[in-house]
Amino acid sequence: GAGVSQSPSNKVTEKGKDVELRCDPISGHTALYWYRQSLGQGLEFLIYFQGNSAPDKSGLPSDRFSAERTGGSVSTLTIQRTQQEDSAVYLCASSYLGGTGGEQPQHFGDGTRLSIL
Amino acid sequence: AQSVTQLDSQVPVFEEAPVELRCNYSSSVSVYLFWYVQYPNQGLQLLLKYLSGSTLVKGINGFEAEFNKSQTSFHLRKPSVHISDTAEYFCAVSPFLSSASKIIFGSGTRLSIRP
């Protein structure tokens, strides 16, 4: 597609349930990132994929959070046994890895707004 | 390690007035610099970036930013703002020769435009 697509756009669920968030990056972008943005806060880095592997998982807040990427394309972020503090907007971004890598901007989806009741 | 400081969490300005959003960074290595904008209920969108060359960078929607290496700053400016500029603005840095994951965002500045 033309941009990064995330689904669902909104998700409301009960505490303790598992949720799965999906990200479809821009075609050809080999790098994919997940961020969390809590109300009034900046961006919290969660995880980064290069192809299907995740060289940097340093931002995952707990073992309830996991992510995978298949076929070098779609990624899913899974949160198990959700807690109220997991309520946030989850943003996905992708970029093209070229040159030295650092100069490529990230292209963001519109996010999934997750609310835990 | 790198860090980005956006000193102003909120900046209110009147329509058609000029605005400057401040960004300072700290890094032991050379960096690329970015400004992103986030409109309500949307993801972030690239406004402009500094990679090399002229220190004055022009971006979309009439915004520009100036890289000042001695002051380690990358302030964002617009000579005359419009209501549609109401959004949150994020400054970010990425080290040269880094893995793509090492982009560091500031905490954001919320720009509100008053008619």
Side-chain angles (χ1 to χ4, degrees):
Chain A
V4 177
S5 176
Q6 290 187 249
S7 61
S9 55
N10 285 282
K11 177 73 175 178
V12 180
T13 192
E14 293 178 347
K15 177 182 170 181
K17 300 284 189 184
D18 297 351
V19 294
E20 221 174 64
L21 312 180
R22 176 188 167 107
C23 173
D24 202 339
I26 292 173
S27 177
H29 280 191
T30 52
L32 186 147
Y33 314 79
W34 284 99
Y35 296 90
R36 180 167 69 176
Q37 188 175 30
S38 301
L39 187 63
Q41 302 296 312
L43 291 165
E44 178 187 359
F45 169 79
L46 298 178
I47 189 170
Y48 151 67
F49 286 93
Q50 183 171 336
N52 291 334
S53 65
D56 191 345
K57 304 180 183 179
S58 61
L60 293 177
S62 76
D63 58 8
R64 296 187 294 106
F65 287 72
S66 63
E68 65 175 15
R69 188 180 187 194
T70 55
S73 181
V74 172
S75 175
T76 53
L77 176 69
T78 301
I79 309 173
Q80 295 177 309
R81 306 180 302 282
T82 52
Q83 304 294 313
Q84 287 186 331
E85 61 263 28
D86 299 334
S87 296
V89 176
Y90 289 81
L91 290 168
C92 176
S94 69
S95 70
Y96 171 70
L97 281 183
T100 61
E103 76 270 29
Q104 299 299 327
Q106 297 183 7
H107 300 260
F108 285 80
D110 287 342
T112 294
R113 187 173 300 275
L114 178 63
S115 300
I116 309 300
L117 303 178
Chain B
Q2 290 76 39
S3 66
V4 179
T5 302
Q6 292 183 246
L7 290 169
D8 306 304
S9 59
Q10 295 189 60
V11 173
V13 294
F14 287 104
E15 194 173 15
E16 298 183 4
V19 70
E20 178 179 84
L21 306 183
R22 296 180 293 169
C23 172
N24 287 87
Y25 70 93
S26 173
S27 176
S28 56
V29 299
S30 296
V31 295
Y32 301 112
L33 296 141
F34 307 86
W35 273 99
Y36 287 84
V37 59
Q38 185 179 31
Y39 298 106
N41 300 313
Q42 294 185 25
L44 280 69
Q45 177 183 351
L46 183 69
L47 261 185
L48 50 79
K49 60 183 178 181
Y50 173 77
L51 303 182
S52 64
S54 172
T55 57
L56 184 63
V57 180
K58 294 189 183 298
I60 62 171
N61 301 340
F63 283 92
E64 62 181 32
E66 186 154 23
F67 170 54
N68 187 318
K69 189 173 182 179
S70 63
Q71 296 186 5
T72 60
S73 68
F74 191 53
H75 302 330
L76 181 70
R77 302 186 183 101
K78 186 169 182 177
S80 175
V81 296
H82 189 266
I83 291 284
S84 59
D85 294 323
T86 297
E88 187 141 22
Y89 292 79
F90 292 91
C91 182
V93 301
S94 177
F96 281 13
L97 303 176
S98 72
S99 70
S101 69
K102 293 202 181 294
I103 180 165
I104 298 97
F105 287 89
S107 55
T109 297
R110 187 170 300 275
L111 178 63
S112 57
I113 312 297
R114 300 169 177 174

